[in-house]
Structures are given as structure tokens and as C-alpha cells.
Amino acid sequence: MITYAFLQHYWWFLVSLLGAILVFLLFVQGANSQLFSLACDDDERRMIINSTGRKWEFTFTTLVTFGGAFFASFPLYYSTSFGGAYWLWMIILFTFVLQAVSYEFQNKMGNVLGTSSYQYFLLANGIMAPVLLGVAVASFYNGANFIVEKDNMTDVLQPVISRWASEYGGLDMITDVWNILFGMAVLFLARTLGSLYLINNVSHEDIAGRCRKSLTVNFSAFLVLFLAFLAHLLTKDGYAVEAVSGDIYMKPYKYLDNFIEMWYLIPLFLIGVLIVLYGVVRSVLVSAFRRGVWFAGIGVVMTVLSLLLCAGWNDTAYFPSNADLQSSLTIVNSCSSEFTLQTMAVVSLLIPFVLAYIFYAWRKIDSRRITQEELINDEAY
């Protein structure tokens, strides 16, 4: 029989999987963040833009689906983070709006801002979105300043049960050095994936050569930042949940214990890391190898999935409160009703069909690589 606890864990798994896929799809932002370093002239920049322009909808749709899944399965997180940390999320969404506008209007007739302005908008989205999304994800481990008061549900005039404890609307999360460090790690990971994607998708030897050079710098920076954050995570006190009472308390080495007690996350994490290394290293050393993005992409999904599962499973508060420890959110105290989770679990059975369609659409879009001739003969950004 499917229990309420199983449904809570099942939906945290789905949300985590969406988050992991979103991190992989940030290769669009990663490539755009290098728009002026990987291209030497207007034609090369247009090739990169037309390459990422084929995929930006996948990233944005996954981000929206990620938020929607949180809203449906863990609504208290949605109201607390998306509602309380509104300035952080509004900046993230605004950069994605800039991205959409930039693709559509940079070469339209009557463009008063000029093509380069829209290209700088893509650059801004390419840098800011990965960093700020990384900051938001890092709060799963480092906490945020919010207070939950469920008694307010009976207040007819102001039935708001969660509020931000500071006046900065989530921007205070940027002041945590570990949040910023993780955000920068996500940025350099996105730039690594972006370079791998362009090697695979753009038929231009000079661009591919610059991408291979950028891989060494970006992946090295990512490794330093990520390993520093990982060391911090595995040695810090974590936010544990007392199974019976639901009380939150600080537990030394909580996230390390989670990996040990959920032993299956260790091979998932390590295999993911090894696959990423293989995709990057072989792409750097073998100029004819163009499929590094797929190896690295699968590895990134596996690695991020293991980290997110570590944040929410095994009696762990996945969104800790630094203002009031007992306000911390868990998959138990923040989830939807059992009926809602059951109903959505049935709907989630359609996910494999959606993924199959995405795979089919991706293959059709990439039936041929980006070339300079396409900019002249076909519809292009």
C-alpha cells in the first residue's frame, strides 16, 4: 500500500530530479556567458546565439515546471521562498525575460537598442541566472531568514503563515559566503557545459578550439569551488528532524551521516562525478570527440540528484530557518494533503511520455549542426 510518507519522499525525488535536469540545461546560460570570449566576430556570435537559441525554451520551461512541482507538492516552501524571497526570484525571472526578448528582437527591423545591447542582455542572463539559482539551492543547506506561524491560518484579516524575517526580500541570502561560493560553482559548471554543448552543436573549428581552451579554466574553477563547498557541507552541523515529535535540532555531520545511512547515494554521486570528468577530459584531449556534453550532462544530473536527495530525505530539514529553528521546512510539515499527492502521483506517470517527446523534439532540432551557411539561407536569430 502506498503510504503518505512514501508519497512525500516520492515527490521530493521528482522535485530533485527536475532541479538536477535544470542544472544541466543551464548550459544555455553557460554558453551565453562566454558569448564575447568564444566568438571573434559578428558571424561567430550569431552562430553561438542560434545554437543556444534552439534550446533556451527547454531551460525556461524546466524552471517553471520546477516551481510548479514545488507549488503542488510542497506549497509551504513555495509560499515561503517564492513569496518571501521575492526580490531574489524576481531578479532571476527578469533575467530570463531579458533572455527571451533578446533572442526574438536583436535582429528585428526597427531595433532601436542595437544588436549588441540584446547580446549583452544574454550575457547578463548567462552570468546572473546560474549564480542566483545556485544561491537559492545553497539555502537548502545553509538556511534562510524566515518564520512560519501556522496559527495565522485562523486569522481572517491576515491568514499569512510564513514571512521573511528581514526586509531584504531574499537578497540577504547573497550575503552568505557559502551561498555565493556555491552560486559561483554553478556558474562555472554551466560555462563548462556550455562549451561542451557548442563543441557538439556548432560546426566551426575555431569556436570548437576556443571552447576546449575554456574547458580547462572553467572546469578547474568549478572543481575548486565545488570541492570547497562539499567539504564544508560534509563537516558542518546539519538540520535534523526528530522523527516522532517533528522538532528540528542541530546535528553534527548531518549531511555526511545522510550519505552514510543512505549508502545508495554514494555510488550515484561518485559515478556521476566520474562521468563528468570523462566527458570533460576526453573533450579537451581528443579534438574529434564531440559528445562530451552528453556524458557530462548525465553525470551532472546524477550528482545534483544525490545532493538534493541528501538535503530532504532521512529526517532532514530541506529549507532551514536561521531566524527560528522550529520554522524549518521538512518534506513532512510543508507538503500537500495525501489526496493531492496521490492524485498528482497518477499524473506523474505521464512523465516518461513527456520525456520521450522532449527527446524526439531535441533530435529533430539537432538534425544538423549550426553552420555559417545557415545564417544566410535559413531563418536565424
Side-chain angles (χ1 to χ4, degrees):
M1 181 177 178
I2 297 178
T3 64
Y4 195 16
F6 171 83
L7 290 170
Q8 291 163 349
H9 285 77
Y10 172 71
W11 274 101
W12 182 254
F13 170 80
L14 289 184
V15 168
S16 299
L17 181 59
L18 283 171
I21 294 173
L22 175 61
V23 172
F24 161 60
L25 292 175
L26 288 176
F27 69 76
V28 173
Q29 280 63 39
N32 287 340
S33 72
Q34 304 174 85
L35 186 58
F36 293 94
S37 60
L38 296 180
C40 288
D41 55 41
D42 290 339
D43 284 346
E44 290 183 2
R45 276 190 287 275
R46 287 196 69 192
M47 291 180 70
I48 293 175
I49 290 171
N50 276 270
S51 178
T52 59
R54 291 177 171 183
K55 303 298 189 309
W56 74 267
E57 293 98 336
F58 288 102
T59 308
F60 186 71
T61 302
T62 304
L63 174 63
V64 173
T65 306
F66 176 72
F70 249 127
F71 173 75
S73 55
F74 301 101
L76 190 51
Y77 172 81
Y78 188 90
S79 64
T80 302
S81 182
F82 290 83
Y86 51 87
W87 282 120
L88 179 71
W89 287 107
M90 285 299 291
I91 293 172
I92 292 172
L93 292 175
F94 180 70
T95 67
F96 277 97
V97 171
L98 282 180
Q99 177 196 53
V101 171
S102 299
Y103 278 120
E104 296 301 326
F105 291 100
Q106 61 182 281
N107 287 308
K108 295 290 186 182
M109 295 293 293
N111 173 7
V112 296
L113 294 179
T115 300
S116 61
S117 297
Y118 289 107
Q119 291 177 351
Y120 279 109
F121 290 161
L122 291 177
L123 177 67
N125 169 257
I127 295 173
M128 295 177 65
V131 172
L132 295 181
L133 285 171
V135 167
V137 172
S139 67
F140 288 168
Y141 310 99
N142 299 321
N145 296 315
F146 65 91
I147 297 174
V148 174
E149 297 172 318
K150 292 189 175 182
D151 291 341
N152 286 349
M153 292 182 66
T154 60
D155 189 334
V156 178
L157 298 178
Q158 195 175 10
V160 178
I161 64 176
S162 61
R163 60 182 174 86
W164 214 250
S166 73
E167 59 186 11
Y168 301 109
L171 295 180
D172 45 313
M173 288 196 285
I174 301 176
T175 63
D176 188 315
V177 63
W178 291 108
N179 288 351
I180 287 293
L181 185 144
F182 188 75
M184 293 301 297
V186 173
L187 171 62
F188 284 109
L189 175 61
R191 288 167 67 90
T192 298
L193 294 170
S195 295
L196 291 171
Y197 171 72
L198 293 177
I199 291 172
N200 176 263
N201 192 247
V202 176
S203 181
H204 194 286
E205 289 304 318
D206 290 340
I207 293 177
R210 295 185 202 110
C211 286
R212 290 190 177 88
K213 290 180 180 179
S214 74
L215 279 176
T216 304
V217 176
N218 289 315
F219 189 65
S220 297
F222 162 71
L223 276 181
V224 171
L225 294 169
F226 178 70
L227 291 176
F229 181 84
L230 184 65
H232 167 72
L233 178 67
L234 297 180
T235 55
K236 75 188 293 287
D237 293 349
Y239 301 82
V241 184
E242 210 289 317
V244 178
S245 66
D247 291 338
I248 315 296
Y249 65 96
M250 301 304 297
K251 181 180 179 181
Y253 303 103
K254 171 60 177 170
Y255 299 106
L256 177 61
D257 288 345
N258 280 359
F259 272 106
I260 295 173
E261 293 170 15
M262 296 186 290
W263 58 267
Y264 44 86
L265 294 184
I266 297 177
L268 181 67
F269 178 85
L270 293 178
I271 293 173
V273 170
L274 291 175
I275 295 176
V276 172
L277 284 170
Y278 174 80
V280 173
V281 172
R282 188 171 181 190
S283 295
V284 172
L285 298 179
V286 181
S287 60
F289 183 68
R290 298 192 294 106
R291 298 188 178 183
V293 65
W294 299 117
F295 288 95
I298 293 171
V300 165
V301 171
M302 293 173 65
T303 303
V304 175
L305 177 61
S306 66
L307 289 173
L308 292 178
L309 292 179
C310 181
W313 282 2
N314 199 40
D315 296 324
T316 309
Y318 70 83
F319 193 42
S321 172
N322 294 328
D324 174 27
L325 187 61
Q326 299 311 313
S327 291
S328 301
L329 302 186
T330 71
I331 63 173
V332 175
N333 67 17
S334 66
C335 69
S336 296
S337 67
E338 184 174 5
F339 174 78
T340 301
L341 295 183
Q342 284 179 336
T343 303
M344 293 194 305
V346 175
V347 176
S348 72
L349 297 178
L350 298 174
I351 290 177
F353 298 97
V354 175
L355 293 177
Y357 172 75
I358 292 173
F359 176 77
Y360 171 78
W362 190 298
R363 293 276 295 180
K364 291 293 288 184
I365 292 172
D366 280 355
S367 59
R368 55 181 178 175
R369 300 172 70 193
I370 296 289
T371 63
Q372 286 183 309
E373 289 73 20
E374 179 180 288
L375 303 181
I376 302 172
N377 301 325
D378 296 331
E379 182 179 352
Y381 290 112

